[in-house]
Amino acid sequence: MDWYTKRRFGDLADDAAQHFGDREALVFEGKRYSFAEQAAEVDRAAKGLMAAGVEKGDHVAFWFNNRADWIFIAFALAKVGAVMVPVNTRFRTNDLDYVLRQSDSKVLITHDRSGPIDYLEMVRDVITLPASDEAIDDPNFPALRRVFIVGDETAQGTLSWDAVTRMGADISDAELAARAASVDPDDPVIIMYTSGTTGFPKGVVHSHKLLRNIEDRCFRLAIAPTDTILNYLPLFHAFGYSEGALAALVTGARQVITETFDPNECLDLVTREKATIMHGFEAHLKGLTEAQEANPRDVSSLRTGLFAAGMHSATPVVRRGLEVLAPLRSVSGYGMTEVWVGAGIGSLDDDMRLRCESSGTAGLGYKLRIIDLETGRVQPVGEPGELQVKGYSVMLEYYKKPDETAATFTDDGWFKTGDSAVWLDNGYIRFLGRYKDMLKVGGENVDPMEAEGLLLEHPEVHQVAVVGMPDDRLTEVPVAYVQRAPDSSMDEGAVIAHCRGKLASFKIPHNVVFVDDFPMTASGKIRKVELREDAKQRAAKN
C-alpha cells in the first residue's frame, strides 16, 4: 500500500456530499448550493459530457469566467477522466488559437457572452464551424471536434450546454460510476497554461497527486468545515483553483465565489457571508486595504489567507493590509504553476516581520535550495541566487515541449524556477523577484523591487513598476512607471526626490513615466515585458 491514499479530483464532490450533505457548500451571486446539490450538479454535467462524446483522456479547453457552473463542469471533466485545459478569460483570438492548437483540445467549452465580451464571436473568428451538427473539421485544429456554448444563444456548428445536459439523461448512474472508477489518479488531470508574463505560455501538466499538496497546506492553515473561503481569484489560475475550488471540497469549507475582483463587493461579502479566509497577490491586498480605508466594514470574521510578501514591493502593502484588515493574520508563501502552491509556506503564528518580509520555509513534500548561477555553488544565508525546487508536486512536463521540459531541470533533478531568492537566518526564504527583472546598471546588480517598495510608501503613489531602459554609458538604467493616487499632481522630480538619500544612486530611477493603468496578467501581476518594450522604444527616440 502507498503511504498516502491516492485520491481523484472527480471523487471530491461525492466525498464531500457524503460527509456534509445538506450543509451549504457554494454561493454565487445569491444562489446557494448544498454539498449534496453540488455533487448532483457535477453528476449532471458529467453525464452530459459522456453523452456528448467526451472520452477518458480527451483534452477539453475550458474558457470560462468564475461562476457556479465553472465548479460543476470542472469537476465533471475530472470525473469522466478528461484533462481540463483552463483558458485565461483575458485571452483573445490569437491566444485562443495558440492554446487550442498547442493543447490538442478535442472540445472547447465557453460562454456565448460574458458582460461586454462576445466569446462566441471570437470562437467564430478562430474556428471554422460546420454548417450542421457534424463534427468540426478545421485543418488548423486537427484534434478539435466540438464547441459547447454555455448561455442563452445557440449557434450554428456548436452545441448548447443545455442540449449537452439533456443528452446526459441517457447515461445511467452505473455508467458514470464505472467511468469514474476507471480514472487513474496518476494520469494527467489538468494542463494549466502559465500566465504569460513573457512570450507564449507553456502548458503545465499535473496529475491528481496535487490533492496531497492541498491537504497538507489546508492542515497547515487549519482550514475546517467551519470556514468560509471568499474566492475572487480567477478559477482558471492555479491560485484560485487550488486554494478555492479544490481546498473547499477537500476540507468541507464553504466557498463564496465572485465573477471578478471588485474590492468593495468583496468586502461587502466578507461582512454579509462572514468570510474567514481569502487569498491573493499584492494587488488584491492593496485594493482591499484602500477600499476598507475609504469605507470601513465589519471584517472581524477574517482569520487567515495566503498573501505572498517576500518581495520588497509587497512588504509595505502587506504590513498596511494587516493593520487595516485586522484580525486577518496572513501566511506568506511561494509557488508557481510548475511547482504548485506552497513550495514555500509560513505559519499561522509567524510574527509581523515574517508575514511581511519572508516567503516561508519548505512546504511538506518539498526541498528548496538557492544556487549561484555563475559558480553552481549552494548559497549560504544572506547570499541571493536562483531558487530551485524538488518535490512530488512538481509538474509532469510542459505539454509537447520536451526540450523546454528538459532545460528547466538540473542534471540532478531540481526544477529551475528562474526566481531569485535568499535564505534568512531562521530557515525561511525571501523571494526577491524574477531573474529577468534584475537590472545591471554600470556593472551593479539592481533589484528593482527596492525602489518599488520605497515608492509604494509614498502616499501619492498608487502603483509602480521599475524596469531597465537601455543606456549607452551604463548599459541600462532604472525607469519607474508610476500610477498616481487620485487627485495627486506629483511630478518626476517628486518621485526621484523620494528615493534620494534612501537608495544608492545607481538604484534611483533615471526617468519616470506616469501611466493611467498597467498591463496585467489575470493573476494580478504587472506584465513587465510590455513595460520593458516601451522603455526600449523611448530610449530609441532619445
Side-chain angles (χ1 to χ4, degrees):
M1 293 180 64
D2 292 310
W3 283 99
Y4 176 79
T5 303
K6 294 180 180 180
R7 303 180 68 186
R8 298 173 291 210
F9 284 33
D11 295 334
L12 294 180
D14 286 338
D15 291 348
Q18 181 178 355
H19 282 92
F20 306 111
D22 292 333
R23 278 194 45 242
E24 193 164 273
L26 179 65
V27 179
F28 176 69
E29 292 187 348
K31 191 166 179 61
R32 299 170 185 274
Y33 300 86
S34 68
F35 282 96
E37 290 168 336
Q38 181 175 243
E41 291 289 346
V42 169
D43 281 359
R44 189 168 76 95
K47 289 178 177 180
L49 292 167
M50 289 178 63
V54 176
E55 302 290 342
K56 188 170 69 171
D58 284 348
H59 296 183
V60 177
F62 193 25
W63 196 25
F64 212 68
N65 283 289
N66 285 18
R67 56 192 60 206
D69 280 336
W70 200 103
I71 302 295
F72 308 147
I73 295 171
F75 287 101
L77 288 168
K79 190 162 191 172
V80 303
V83 179
M84 183 172 68
V85 182
V87 182
N88 189 326
T89 55
R90 292 188 179 183
F91 279 5
R92 295 301 177 252
T93 52
N94 286 357
D95 306 299
L96 177 65
D97 182 303
Y98 172 79
V99 171
L100 285 177
R101 191 193 315 269
Q102 206 278 331
S103 67
D104 293 324
S105 288
K106 179 180 176 181
V107 175
L108 167 64
I109 305 175
T110 188
H111 303 274
D112 52 0
R113 174 182 289 275
S114 181
I117 308 301
D118 193 332
Y119 287 88
L120 179 55
E121 185 59 32
M122 286 190 282
V123 169
R124 291 191 180 107
D125 287 344
V126 172
I127 303 166
T128 301
L129 297 173
S132 64
D133 290 337
E134 297 176 358
I136 293 168
D137 185 18
D138 185 336
N140 292 318
F141 306 100
L144 190 65
R145 291 294 174 264
R146 293 287 182 188
V147 174
F148 302 157
I149 298 295
V150 182
D152 298 326
E153 293 185 40
T154 56
Q156 180 178 288
T158 71
L159 197 59
S160 75
W161 184 248
D162 285 343
V164 171
T165 53
R166 285 196 301 271
M167 291 165 61
D170 294 332
I171 303 295
S172 69
D173 290 346
E175 289 174 292
L176 176 58
R179 171 72 76 85
S182 73
V183 176
D184 187 335
D186 288 320
D187 283 344
V189 68
I190 190 168
I191 302 175
M192 182 166 282
Y193 280 76
T194 55
S195 56
T197 54
T198 57
F200 281 112
K202 296 186 285 289
V204 178
V205 183
H206 282 289
S207 73
H208 302 256
K209 65 186 176 183
L210 290 179
L211 289 179
R212 176 183 169 188
N213 167 284
I214 293 159
E215 288 182 341
D216 286 344
R217 191 166 44 267
C218 287
F219 182 78
R220 184 70 166 258
L221 297 179
I223 299 176
T226 52
D227 279 308
T228 293
I229 302 170
L230 174 60
N231 193 10
Y232 43 73
L233 299 169
L235 287 162
F236 62 74
H237 186 265
F239 205 178
Y241 180 45
S242 174
E243 306 311 287
L246 289 166
L249 282 175
V250 162
T251 62
R254 188 171 67 129
Q255 183 182 194
V256 179
I257 60 177
T258 66
E259 184 169 1
T260 58
F261 174 66
D262 179 288
N264 285 298
E265 177 193 10
C266 291
L267 290 171
D268 289 343
L269 284 168
V270 169
T271 299
R272 186 162 65 247
E273 300 292 341
K274 303 300 181 189
T276 58
I277 295 170
M278 59 185 187
H279 310 287
F281 294 101
E282 173 186 338
H284 300 109
L285 191 56
K286 184 173 176 61
L288 291 164
T289 301
E290 291 171 349
Q292 178 69 356
E293 287 177 317
N295 179 21
R297 286 88 156 173
D298 178 6
V299 296
S300 59
S301 61
L302 287 175
R303 184 173 68 79
T304 193
L306 293 173
F307 286 94
M311 299 180 297
H312 290 285
S313 61
T315 296
V317 174
V318 175
R319 192 178 299 278
R320 183 62 181 155
L322 295 181
E323 293 171 357
V324 173
L325 297 171
L328 178 68
R329 291 175 61 84
S330 69
V331 173
S332 189
Y334 172 84
M336 59 193 306
T337 308
E338 289 88 340
V339 305
W340 213 242
V341 184
I345 187 74
S347 173
L348 286 169
D349 63 356
D350 283 341
D351 60 24
M352 184 64 83
R353 173 177 169 267
L354 290 177
R355 293 179 195 282
C356 299
E357 300 178 17
S358 83
S359 307
T361 190
L364 290 172
Y366 287 102
K367 293 180 181 179
L368 307 178
R369 72 181 187 185
I370 296 172
I371 296 293
D372 183 317
L373 290 182
E374 293 185 4
T375 66
R377 184 188 68 174
V378 175
Q379 296 288 66
V381 171
E383 293 293 329
E386 183 190 44
L387 179 63
Q388 298 182 351
V389 180
K390 266 189 179 182
Y392 68 85
S393 294
V394 175
M395 69 174 188
L396 302 178
E397 63 175 340
Y398 289 126
Y399 183 67
K400 287 195 344 185
K401 290 185 179 290
D403 291 342
E404 288 89 339
T405 300
T408 201
F409 286 93
T410 65
D411 292 341
D412 54 348
W414 290 81
F415 178 82
K416 298 184 285 188
T417 67
D419 288 337
S420 177
V422 64
W423 286 110
L424 304 180
D425 56 13
N426 65 340
Y428 277 40
I429 62 168
R430 184 171 193 177
F431 167 59
L432 301 176
R434 295 293 290 170
Y435 256 104
K436 66 175 69 72
D437 291 338
M438 299 294 285
L439 310 184
K440 197 79 166 181
V441 181
E444 298 280 2
N445 291 320
V446 174
D447 179 356
M449 292 184 182
E450 289 188 59
E452 290 169 355
L454 177 62
L455 287 170
L456 281 170
E457 296 175 1
H458 195 293
E460 294 189 56
V461 174
H462 177 71
Q463 186 57 277
V464 61
V466 174
V467 298
M469 174 181 280
D471 183 81
D472 291 338
R473 186 171 65 89
L474 298 171
T475 305
E476 65 179 342
V477 294
V479 54
Y481 286 78
V482 175
Q483 182 181 11
R484 287 178 282 221
D487 302 322
S488 167
S489 58
M490 78 181 309
D491 58 13
E492 181 177 72
V495 173
I496 294 174
H498 184 68
C499 298
R500 285 202 182 107
K502 304 182 186 77
L503 295 177
S505 59
F506 57 85
K507 298 180 181 181
I508 296 174
H510 283 222
N511 303 89
V512 178
V513 178
F514 292 102
V515 297
D516 293 328
D517 50 36
F518 285 96
M520 306 289 283
T521 69
S523 60
K525 301 173 186 175
I526 294 173
R527 284 180 55 85
K528 285 191 172 182
V529 63
E530 295 186 22
L531 300 184
R532 282 193 287 268
E533 183 59 34
D534 181 79
K536 186 186 300 182
Q537 293 174 10
R538 290 174 184 271
K541 293 176 182 178
N542 293 338

